[in-house]
Amino acid sequence: MILTVTLNTALDITYRIRSLRPHSSHRVTEVTERPGGKGLNVARVLAALGHEVTVTGFTGGGTGRAVQDQLTAVPRLVDALVPVAGPTRRTIAVVDEQTGDTTQLNEPGPTVTPAEWSAFQKAYEELVPSMSAVALCGSLPPGVPVGAYAGLIRSARAAGVPVLLDTSGEPLRRGVAARPDIVKPNADELAELTGSHEPSRATQDARRRGAHAVVASLGPEGLLAVTPQGRWRATPSARVHGNPTGAGDSAVAGLLSGLVERLPWPDRLARAVALSAATVLAPVAGEFDAAAYEELLGRVAVTGSTTAA
């Protein structure tokens, strides 16, 4: 069983329109809703890959109930979300059908009280020992301490459970110092963490700050990994166009599934890149096109060396 943590869960709403024009009214051609937030996206992809997964984090209000109702339909997924008084946020993706571009609007999330944070920590510490891996994903809602992920990493490490961190800003900086097994920043997050805009140098710097392995997302150019076993670059065969919402989360699912399956790093990276691209091609945010994934997987180029980094 894999545990994904989404402290700032969301109801992802996707609007499709013919063409997005500022200062204009638009007729929506299609509306879809899905449970969202990075960790929930990761969990759905893991479940689709055949893994048993438990989701935890916060949920509240009518949007929170809608999220939980939809989670019941996901095979191999267990809902262990912790209730809060405030309503779960919504995220709005507006897809321009003419260009294929997506405009994203993200609400901040509910304010979490100290009592609610304590209840979550207790629930998390009860869940972790029975897990094969943990993913800590996304932003922190208001009220959650900025060092929250660092504490959750230390709890997982104390239980002997590998942990992946995917966040940004100060929570990332503090989390890296707690020595997670994998961190997966994008290029901007990595530059903010290290002060370097050169990905190879920045990934090595992030490892020196405490992370055992750093996998940097370079957007359409794939992934760069610096690990105790070596360094690799995984690149898709061609750039894909579509809705990028959830693409990074699918990459996390690929890395995490590869970890628990004990795949070599090149195979983990190829899976992550193929899943990410297949997510961009999917019509709904946070899903992936299974047929495209199978086709893309064999065309990911992975280069590098097993020489210790």
Side-chain angles (χ1 to χ4, degrees), residues 188-225:
D188 290 340
E189 293 161 351
L190 190 61
E192 183 181 2
L193 173 68
T194 65
S196 174
H197 290 272
E198 201 289 303
S200 181
R201 182 182 304 168
T203 50
Q204 293 183 71
D205 186 8
R207 273 207 71 209
R208 287 192 291 268
R209 291 168 183 258
H212 288 271
V214 180
V215 181
S217 174
L218 305 179
E221 297 179 9
L223 298 173
L224 174 65

PDB file of all heavy atoms in Angstrom, residues 188-225:
ATOM      1  N   ASP A 188      11.710  25.878 -12.078  1.00  0.00           N
ATOM      2  CA  ASP A 188      11.566  27.126 -11.325  1.00  0.00           C
ATOM      3  C   ASP A 188      11.718  26.892  -9.824  1.00  0.00           C
ATOM      4  O   ASP A 188      12.366  27.677  -9.114  1.00  0.00           O
ATOM      5  CB  ASP A 188      10.214  27.775 -11.619  1.00  0.00           C
ATOM      6  CG  ASP A 188      10.128  28.327 -13.033  1.00  0.00           C
ATOM      7  OD1 ASP A 188      11.195  28.555 -13.648  1.00  0.00           O
ATOM      8  OD2 ASP A 188       8.997  28.524 -13.522  1.00  0.00           O
ATOM      9  N   GLU A 189      11.088  25.824  -9.326  1.00  0.00           N
ATOM     10  CA  GLU A 189      11.186  25.500  -7.898  1.00  0.00           C
ATOM     11  C   GLU A 189      12.619  25.160  -7.510  1.00  0.00           C
ATOM     12  O   GLU A 189      13.097  25.541  -6.434  1.00  0.00           O
ATOM     13  CB  GLU A 189      10.264  24.323  -7.575  1.00  0.00           C
ATOM     14  CG  GLU A 189       8.785  24.666  -7.709  1.00  0.00           C
ATOM     15  CD  GLU A 189       7.892  23.456  -7.839  1.00  0.00           C
ATOM     16  OE1 GLU A 189       8.413  22.328  -7.996  1.00  0.00           O
ATOM     17  OE2 GLU A 189       6.653  23.648  -7.802  1.00  0.00           O
ATOM     18  N   LEU A 190      13.314  24.467  -8.396  1.00  0.00           N
ATOM     19  CA  LEU A 190      14.707  24.106  -8.140  1.00  0.00           C
ATOM     20  C   LEU A 190      15.587  25.354  -8.116  1.00  0.00           C
ATOM     21  O   LEU A 190      16.472  25.490  -7.254  1.00  0.00           O
ATOM     22  CB  LEU A 190      15.177  23.138  -9.218  1.00  0.00           C
ATOM     23  CG  LEU A 190      16.516  22.445  -9.012  1.00  0.00           C
ATOM     24  CD1 LEU A 190      16.496  21.590  -7.753  1.00  0.00           C
ATOM     25  CD2 LEU A 190      16.841  21.584 -10.232  1.00  0.00           C
ATOM     26  N   ALA A 191      15.344  26.276  -9.030  1.00  0.00           N
ATOM     27  CA  ALA A 191      16.127  27.513  -9.053  1.00  0.00           C
ATOM     28  C   ALA A 191      15.872  28.349  -7.808  1.00  0.00           C
ATOM     29  O   ALA A 191      16.796  28.939  -7.244  1.00  0.00           O
ATOM     30  CB  ALA A 191      15.783  28.317 -10.309  1.00  0.00           C
ATOM     31  N   GLU A 192      14.617  28.387  -7.347  1.00  0.00           N
ATOM     32  CA  GLU A 192      14.304  29.129  -6.127  1.00  0.00           C
ATOM     33  C   GLU A 192      14.987  28.512  -4.917  1.00  0.00           C
ATOM     34  O   GLU A 192      15.468  29.211  -4.024  1.00  0.00           O
ATOM     35  CB  GLU A 192      12.786  29.162  -5.917  1.00  0.00           C
ATOM     36  CG  GLU A 192      12.359  29.975  -4.696  1.00  0.00           C
ATOM     37  CD  GLU A 192      10.862  29.969  -4.486  1.00  0.00           C
ATOM     38  OE1 GLU A 192      10.134  29.310  -5.247  1.00  0.00           O
ATOM     39  OE2 GLU A 192      10.406  30.623  -3.530  1.00  0.00           O
ATOM     40  N   LEU A 193      15.045  27.182  -4.895  1.00  0.00           N
ATOM     41  CA  LEU A 193      15.674  26.475  -3.773  1.00  0.00           C
ATOM     42  C   LEU A 193      17.176  26.705  -3.724  1.00  0.00           C
ATOM     43  O   LEU A 193      17.750  26.937  -2.655  1.00  0.00           O
ATOM     44  CB  LEU A 193      15.378  24.979  -3.879  1.00  0.00           C
ATOM     45  CG  LEU A 193      16.102  24.063  -2.882  1.00  0.00           C
ATOM     46  CD1 LEU A 193      15.597  24.305  -1.458  1.00  0.00           C
ATOM     47  CD2 LEU A 193      15.910  22.596  -3.279  1.00  0.00           C
ATOM     48  N   THR A 194      17.828  26.646  -4.888  1.00  0.00           N
ATOM     49  CA  THR A 194      19.292  26.626  -4.922  1.00  0.00           C
ATOM     50  C   THR A 194      19.930  27.930  -5.372  1.00  0.00           C
ATOM     51  O   THR A 194      21.127  28.140  -5.159  1.00  0.00           O
ATOM     52  CB  THR A 194      19.774  25.513  -5.869  1.00  0.00           C
ATOM     53  OG1 THR A 194      19.370  25.834  -7.219  1.00  0.00           O
ATOM     54  CG2 THR A 194      19.191  24.167  -5.467  1.00  0.00           C
ATOM     55  N   GLY A 195      19.154  28.791  -6.052  1.00  0.00           N
ATOM     56  CA  GLY A 195      19.716  30.014  -6.608  1.00  0.00           C
ATOM     57  C   GLY A 195      20.380  29.823  -7.949  1.00  0.00           C
ATOM     58  O   GLY A 195      20.901  30.775  -8.535  1.00  0.00           O
ATOM     59  N   SER A 196      20.359  28.595  -8.484  1.00  0.00           N
ATOM     60  CA  SER A 196      20.981  28.307  -9.773  1.00  0.00           C
ATOM     61  C   SER A 196      19.918  27.989 -10.813  1.00  0.00           C
ATOM     62  O   SER A 196      19.003  27.212 -10.552  1.00  0.00           O
ATOM     63  CB  SER A 196      21.933  27.114  -9.656  1.00  0.00           C
ATOM     64  OG  SER A 196      22.430  26.750 -10.936  1.00  0.00           O
ATOM     65  N   HIS A 197      20.066  28.581 -12.018  1.00  0.00           N
ATOM     66  CA  HIS A 197      19.152  28.304 -13.116  1.00  0.00           C
ATOM     67  C   HIS A 197      19.725  27.261 -14.074  1.00  0.00           C
ATOM     68  O   HIS A 197      19.115  26.978 -15.108  1.00  0.00           O
ATOM     69  CB  HIS A 197      18.828  29.593 -13.881  1.00  0.00           C
ATOM     70  CG  HIS A 197      17.982  30.544 -13.086  1.00  0.00           C
ATOM     71  ND1 HIS A 197      16.605  30.505 -13.085  1.00  0.00           N
ATOM     72  CD2 HIS A 197      18.334  31.549 -12.229  1.00  0.00           C
ATOM     73  CE1 HIS A 197      16.139  31.441 -12.285  1.00  0.00           C
ATOM     74  NE2 HIS A 197      17.160  32.090 -11.764  1.00  0.00           N
ATOM     75  N   GLU A 198      20.861  26.687 -13.730  1.00  0.00           N
ATOM     76  CA  GLU A 198      21.449  25.625 -14.544  1.00  0.00           C
ATOM     77  C   GLU A 198      21.029  24.296 -13.914  1.00  0.00           C
ATOM     78  O   GLU A 198      21.474  23.957 -12.810  1.00  0.00           O
ATOM     79  CB  GLU A 198      22.966  25.777 -14.563  1.00  0.00           C
ATOM     80  CG  GLU A 198      23.626  25.083 -15.754  1.00  0.00           C
ATOM     81  CD  GLU A 198      23.588  23.577 -15.635  1.00  0.00           C
ATOM     82  OE1 GLU A 198      24.089  23.055 -14.626  1.00  0.00           O
ATOM     83  OE2 GLU A 198      23.030  22.920 -16.529  1.00  0.00           O
ATOM     84  N   PRO A 199      20.140  23.511 -14.565  1.00  0.00           N
ATOM     85  CA  PRO A 199      19.532  22.346 -13.919  1.00  0.00           C
ATOM     86  C   PRO A 199      20.520  21.329 -13.363  1.00  0.00           C
ATOM     87  O   PRO A 199      20.317  20.801 -12.266  1.00  0.00           O
ATOM     88  CB  PRO A 199      18.664  21.743 -15.028  1.00  0.00           C
ATOM     89  CG  PRO A 199      18.330  22.890 -15.914  1.00  0.00           C
ATOM     90  CD  PRO A 199      19.561  23.752 -15.895  1.00  0.00           C
ATOM     91  N   SER A 200      21.595  21.033 -14.095  1.00  0.00           N
ATOM     92  CA  SER A 200      22.540  20.021 -13.621  1.00  0.00           C
ATOM     93  C   SER A 200      23.194  20.458 -12.310  1.00  0.00           C
ATOM     94  O   SER A 200      23.293  19.687 -11.344  1.00  0.00           O
ATOM     95  CB  SER A 200      23.599  19.754 -14.689  1.00  0.00           C
ATOM     96  OG  SER A 200      24.508  18.770 -14.246  1.00  0.00           O
ATOM     97  N   ARG A 201      23.626  21.714 -12.265  1.00  0.00           N
ATOM     98  CA  ARG A 201      24.244  22.240 -11.051  1.00  0.00           C
ATOM     99  C   ARG A 201      23.230  22.318  -9.912  1.00  0.00           C
ATOM    100  O   ARG A 201      23.532  21.977  -8.758  1.00  0.00           O
ATOM    101  CB  ARG A 201      24.834  23.611 -11.331  1.00  0.00           C
ATOM    102  CG  ARG A 201      25.547  24.252 -10.131  1.00  0.00           C
ATOM    103  CD  ARG A 201      26.065  25.629 -10.496  1.00  0.00           C
ATOM    104  NE  ARG A 201      26.945  25.568 -11.655  1.00  0.00           N
ATOM    105  CZ  ARG A 201      27.354  26.638 -12.331  1.00  0.00           C
ATOM    106  NH1 ARG A 201      26.950  27.843 -11.980  1.00  0.00           N
ATOM    107  NH2 ARG A 201      28.160  26.507 -13.364  1.00  0.00           N
ATOM    108  N   ALA A 202      22.008  22.733 -10.232  1.00  0.00           N
ATOM    109  CA  ALA A 202      20.990  22.907  -9.202  1.00  0.00           C
ATOM    110  C   ALA A 202      20.566  21.579  -8.590  1.00  0.00           C
ATOM    111  O   ALA A 202      20.328  21.490  -7.379  1.00  0.00           O
ATOM    112  CB  ALA A 202      19.780  23.628  -9.792  1.00  0.00           C
ATOM    113  N   THR A 203      20.450  20.519  -9.400  1.00  0.00           N
ATOM    114  CA  THR A 203      20.074  19.227  -8.845  1.00  0.00           C
ATOM    115  C   THR A 203      21.144  18.705  -7.891  1.00  0.00           C
ATOM    116  O   THR A 203      20.835  18.136  -6.834  1.00  0.00           O
ATOM    117  CB  THR A 203      19.820  18.192  -9.960  1.00  0.00           C
ATOM    118  OG1 THR A 203      20.918  18.205 -10.878  1.00  0.00           O
ATOM    119  CG2 THR A 203      18.531  18.481 -10.697  1.00  0.00           C
ATOM    120  N   GLN A 204      22.406  18.888  -8.244  1.00  0.00           N
ATOM    121  CA  GLN A 204      23.490  18.460  -7.349  1.00  0.00           C
ATOM    122  C   GLN A 204      23.466  19.263  -6.045  1.00  0.00           C
ATOM    123  O   GLN A 204      23.685  18.707  -4.961  1.00  0.00           O
ATOM    124  CB  GLN A 204      24.827  18.613  -8.057  1.00  0.00           C
ATOM    125  CG  GLN A 204      25.006  17.671  -9.233  1.00  0.00           C
ATOM    126  CD  GLN A 204      26.376  17.809  -9.871  1.00  0.00           C
ATOM    127  OE1 GLN A 204      27.390  17.408  -9.293  1.00  0.00           O
ATOM    128  NE2 GLN A 204      26.410  18.387 -11.058  1.00  0.00           N
ATOM    129  N   ASP A 205      23.178  20.561  -6.162  1.00  0.00           N
ATOM    130  CA  ASP A 205      23.102  21.402  -4.971  1.00  0.00           C
ATOM    131  C   ASP A 205      21.962  20.934  -4.065  1.00  0.00           C
ATOM    132  O   ASP A 205      22.105  20.866  -2.841  1.00  0.00           O
ATOM    133  CB  ASP A 205      22.899  22.858  -5.378  1.00  0.00           C
ATOM    134  CG  ASP A 205      22.961  23.826  -4.199  1.00  0.00           C
ATOM    135  OD1 ASP A 205      23.311  23.386  -3.094  1.00  0.00           O
ATOM    136  OD2 ASP A 205      22.650  25.008  -4.385  1.00  0.00           O
ATOM    137  N   ALA A 206      20.812  20.596  -4.658  1.00  0.00           N
ATOM    138  CA  ALA A 206      19.676  20.125  -3.871  1.00  0.00           C
ATOM    139  C   ALA A 206      20.014  18.833  -3.131  1.00  0.00           C
ATOM    140  O   ALA A 206      19.589  18.632  -1.984  1.00  0.00           O
ATOM    141  CB  ALA A 206      18.458  19.925  -4.768  1.00  0.00           C
ATOM    142  N   ARG A 207      20.793  17.968  -3.757  1.00  0.00           N
ATOM    143  CA  ARG A 207      21.228  16.744  -3.066  1.00  0.00           C
ATOM    144  C   ARG A 207      22.118  17.079  -1.876  1.00  0.00           C
ATOM    145  O   ARG A 207      22.007  16.475  -0.808  1.00  0.00           O
ATOM    146  CB  ARG A 207      22.000  15.828  -4.024  1.00  0.00           C
ATOM    147  CG  ARG A 207      21.123  14.889  -4.827  1.00  0.00           C
ATOM    148  CD  ARG A 207      21.892  13.641  -5.215  1.00  0.00           C
ATOM    149  NE  ARG A 207      22.128  12.801  -4.062  1.00  0.00           N
ATOM    150  CZ  ARG A 207      23.170  11.984  -3.921  1.00  0.00           C
ATOM    151  NH1 ARG A 207      24.107  11.918  -4.847  1.00  0.00           N
ATOM    152  NH2 ARG A 207      23.308  11.247  -2.839  1.00  0.00           N
ATOM    153  N   ARG A 208      23.003  18.032  -2.061  1.00  0.00           N
ATOM    154  CA  ARG A 208      23.888  18.411  -0.951  1.00  0.00           C
ATOM    155  C   ARG A 208      23.103  18.991   0.217  1.00  0.00           C
ATOM    156  O   ARG A 208      23.550  18.918   1.362  1.00  0.00           O
ATOM    157  CB  ARG A 208      24.945  19.412  -1.432  1.00  0.00           C
ATOM    158  CG  ARG A 208      26.036  18.791  -2.298  1.00  0.00           C
ATOM    159  CD  ARG A 208      27.202  19.749  -2.491  1.00  0.00           C
ATOM    160  NE  ARG A 208      26.825  20.879  -3.317  1.00  0.00           N
ATOM    161  CZ  ARG A 208      26.973  20.911  -4.636  1.00  0.00           C
ATOM    162  NH1 ARG A 208      27.473  19.870  -5.274  1.00  0.00           N
ATOM    163  NH2 ARG A 208      26.621  21.984  -5.328  1.00  0.00           N
ATOM    164  N   ARG A 209      21.929  19.563  -0.063  1.00  0.00           N
ATOM    165  CA  ARG A 209      21.103  20.137   0.998  1.00  0.00           C
ATOM    166  C   ARG A 209      20.356  19.072   1.803  1.00  0.00           C
ATOM    167  O   ARG A 209      19.722  19.402   2.795  1.00  0.00           O
ATOM    168  CB  ARG A 209      20.120  21.141   0.402  1.00  0.00           C
ATOM    169  CG  ARG A 209      20.795  22.408  -0.117  1.00  0.00           C
ATOM    170  CD  ARG A 209      19.846  23.243  -0.969  1.00  0.00           C
ATOM    171  NE  ARG A 209      20.536  24.398  -1.515  1.00  0.00           N
ATOM    172  CZ  ARG A 209      20.436  25.640  -1.043  1.00  0.00           C
ATOM    173  NH1 ARG A 209      19.637  25.886  -0.017  1.00  0.00           N
ATOM    174  NH2 ARG A 209      21.110  26.630  -1.590  1.00  0.00           N
ATOM    175  N   GLY A 210      20.368  17.820   1.337  1.00  0.00           N
ATOM    176  CA  GLY A 210      19.775  16.767   2.145  1.00  0.00           C
ATOM    177  C   GLY A 210      19.023  15.692   1.408  1.00  0.00           C
ATOM    178  O   GLY A 210      18.854  14.586   1.924  1.00  0.00           O
ATOM    179  N   ALA A 211      18.511  15.957   0.213  1.00  0.00           N
ATOM    180  CA  ALA A 211      17.726  14.957  -0.508  1.00  0.00           C
ATOM    181  C   ALA A 211      18.618  13.810  -0.975  1.00  0.00           C
ATOM    182  O   ALA A 211      19.726  14.029  -1.474  1.00  0.00           O
ATOM    183  CB  ALA A 211      17.039  15.596  -1.709  1.00  0.00           C
ATOM    184  N   HIS A 212      18.148  12.578  -0.835  1.00  0.00           N
ATOM    185  CA  HIS A 212      18.917  11.431  -1.314  1.00  0.00           C
ATOM    186  C   HIS A 212      18.956  11.406  -2.835  1.00  0.00           C
ATOM    187  O   HIS A 212      19.998  11.101  -3.434  1.00  0.00           O
ATOM    188  CB  HIS A 212      18.316  10.131  -0.775  1.00  0.00           C
ATOM    189  CG  HIS A 212      18.554   9.936   0.688  1.00  0.00           C
ATOM    190  ND1 HIS A 212      19.657   9.302   1.191  1.00  0.00           N
ATOM    191  CD2 HIS A 212      17.824  10.316   1.764  1.00  0.00           C
ATOM    192  CE1 HIS A 212      19.607   9.291   2.519  1.00  0.00           C
ATOM    193  NE2 HIS A 212      18.502   9.906   2.888  1.00  0.00           N
ATOM    194  N   ALA A 213      17.814  11.682  -3.475  1.00  0.00           N
ATOM    195  CA  ALA A 213      17.744  11.736  -4.932  1.00  0.00           C
ATOM    196  C   ALA A 213      16.913  12.950  -5.330  1.00  0.00           C
ATOM    197  O   ALA A 213      15.921  13.272  -4.678  1.00  0.00           O
ATOM    198  CB  ALA A 213      17.124  10.467  -5.502  1.00  0.00           C
ATOM    199  N   VAL A 214      17.324  13.611  -6.396  1.00  0.00           N
ATOM    200  CA  VAL A 214      16.602  14.780  -6.913  1.00  0.00           C
ATOM    201  C   VAL A 214      16.224  14.489  -8.356  1.00  0.00           C
ATOM    202  O   VAL A 214      17.082  14.154  -9.174  1.00  0.00           O
ATOM    203  CB  VAL A 214      17.454  16.057  -6.845  1.00  0.00           C
ATOM    204  CG1 VAL A 214      16.667  17.252  -7.393  1.00  0.00           C
ATOM    205  CG2 VAL A 214      17.905  16.331  -5.418  1.00  0.00           C
ATOM    206  N   VAL A 215      14.937  14.588  -8.648  1.00  0.00           N
ATOM    207  CA  VAL A 215      14.449  14.424 -10.017  1.00  0.00           C
ATOM    208  C   VAL A 215      13.813  15.742 -10.424  1.00  0.00           C
ATOM    209  O   VAL A 215      12.750  16.110  -9.917  1.00  0.00           O
ATOM    210  CB  VAL A 215      13.441  13.264 -10.131  1.00  0.00           C
ATOM    211  CG1 VAL A 215      12.981  13.122 -11.580  1.00  0.00           C
ATOM    212  CG2 VAL A 215      14.048  11.963  -9.628  1.00  0.00           C
ATOM    213  N   ALA A 216      14.464  16.453 -11.307  1.00  0.00           N
ATOM    214  CA  ALA A 216      13.994  17.774 -11.731  1.00  0.00           C
ATOM    215  C   ALA A 216      13.137  17.637 -12.978  1.00  0.00           C
ATOM    216  O   ALA A 216      13.548  17.019 -13.965  1.00  0.00           O
ATOM    217  CB  ALA A 216      15.176  18.694 -12.005  1.00  0.00           C
ATOM    218  N   SER A 217      11.949  18.224 -12.929  1.00  0.00           N
ATOM    219  CA  SER A 217      11.066  18.256 -14.086  1.00  0.00           C
ATOM    220  C   SER A 217      11.429  19.449 -14.965  1.00  0.00           C
ATOM    221  O   SER A 217      11.412  20.591 -14.500  1.00  0.00           O
ATOM    222  CB  SER A 217       9.605  18.359 -13.629  1.00  0.00           C
ATOM    223  OG  SER A 217       8.763  18.530 -14.744  1.00  0.00           O
ATOM    224  N   LEU A 218      11.738  19.174 -16.219  1.00  0.00           N
ATOM    225  CA  LEU A 218      12.122  20.222 -17.166  1.00  0.00           C
ATOM    226  C   LEU A 218      11.003  20.489 -18.170  1.00  0.00           C
ATOM    227  O   LEU A 218      11.255  20.917 -19.287  1.00  0.00           O
ATOM    228  CB  LEU A 218      13.408  19.819 -17.880  1.00  0.00           C
ATOM    229  CG  LEU A 218      14.592  19.466 -16.971  1.00  0.00           C
ATOM    230  CD1 LEU A 218      15.807  19.070 -17.799  1.00  0.00           C
ATOM    231  CD2 LEU A 218      14.919  20.602 -16.016  1.00  0.00           C
ATOM    232  N   GLY A 219       9.772  20.228 -17.763  1.00  0.00           N
ATOM    233  CA  GLY A 219       8.617  20.464 -18.623  1.00  0.00           C
ATOM    234  C   GLY A 219       8.649  19.551 -19.832  1.00  0.00           C
ATOM    235  O   GLY A 219       8.887  18.340 -19.714  1.00  0.00           O
ATOM    236  N   PRO A 220       8.419  20.083 -21.026  1.00  0.00           N
ATOM    237  CA  PRO A 220       8.394  19.237 -22.232  1.00  0.00           C
ATOM    238  C   PRO A 220       9.736  18.615 -22.578  1.00  0.00           C
ATOM    239  O   PRO A 220       9.809  17.732 -23.430  1.00  0.00           O
ATOM    240  CB  PRO A 220       7.942  20.209 -23.335  1.00  0.00           C
ATOM    241  CG  PRO A 220       8.273  21.573 -22.818  1.00  0.00           C
ATOM    242  CD  PRO A 220       8.111  21.498 -21.327  1.00  0.00           C
ATOM    243  N   GLU A 221      10.802  19.042 -21.896  1.00  0.00           N
ATOM    244  CA  GLU A 221      12.131  18.474 -22.159  1.00  0.00           C
ATOM    245  C   GLU A 221      12.440  17.280 -21.276  1.00  0.00           C
ATOM    246  O   GLU A 221      13.545  16.740 -21.315  1.00  0.00           O
ATOM    247  CB  GLU A 221      13.201  19.552 -21.990  1.00  0.00           C
ATOM    248  CG  GLU A 221      13.059  20.693 -22.997  1.00  0.00           C
ATOM    249  CD  GLU A 221      14.106  21.766 -22.797  1.00  0.00           C
ATOM    250  OE1 GLU A 221      15.048  21.553 -22.002  1.00  0.00           O
ATOM    251  OE2 GLU A 221      13.980  22.828 -23.422  1.00  0.00           O
ATOM    252  N   GLY A 222      11.474  16.843 -20.441  1.00  0.00           N
ATOM    253  CA  GLY A 222      11.651  15.615 -19.692  1.00  0.00           C
ATOM    254  C   GLY A 222      12.152  15.801 -18.280  1.00  0.00           C
ATOM    255  O   GLY A 222      11.842  16.793 -17.615  1.00  0.00           O
ATOM    256  N   LEU A 223      12.950  14.839 -17.802  1.00  0.00           N
ATOM    257  CA  LEU A 223      13.403  14.787 -16.416  1.00  0.00           C
ATOM    258  C   LEU A 223      14.922  14.668 -16.350  1.00  0.00           C
ATOM    259  O   LEU A 223      15.550  14.035 -17.196  1.00  0.00           O
ATOM    260  CB  LEU A 223      12.788  13.582 -15.688  1.00  0.00           C
ATOM    261  CG  LEU A 223      11.271  13.524 -15.558  1.00  0.00           C
ATOM    262  CD1 LEU A 223      10.850  12.179 -14.978  1.00  0.00           C
ATOM    263  CD2 LEU A 223      10.755  14.666 -14.687  1.00  0.00           C
ATOM    264  N   LEU A 224      15.479  15.253 -15.294  1.00  0.00           N
ATOM    265  CA  LEU A 224      16.903  15.115 -14.981  1.00  0.00           C
ATOM    266  C   LEU A 224      17.003  14.574 -13.568  1.00  0.00           C
ATOM    267  O   LEU A 224      16.439  15.152 -12.635  1.00  0.00           O
ATOM    268  CB  LEU A 224      17.606  16.471 -15.077  1.00  0.00           C
ATOM    269  CG  LEU A 224      19.071  16.530 -14.634  1.00  0.00           C
ATOM    270  CD1 LEU A 224      19.933  15.673 -15.547  1.00  0.00           C
ATOM    271  CD2 LEU A 224      19.570  17.980 -14.636  1.00  0.00           C
ATOM    272  N   ALA A 225      17.709  13.456 -13.392  1.00  0.00           N
ATOM    273  CA  ALA A 225      17.795  12.804 -12.085  1.00  0.00           C
ATOM    274  C   ALA A 225      19.241  12.712 -11.621  1.00  0.00           C
ATOM    275  O   ALA A 225      20.129  12.294 -12.380  1.00  0.00           O
ATOM    276  CB  ALA A 225      17.191  11.403 -12.144  1.00  0.00           C
TER     277      ALA A 225
END
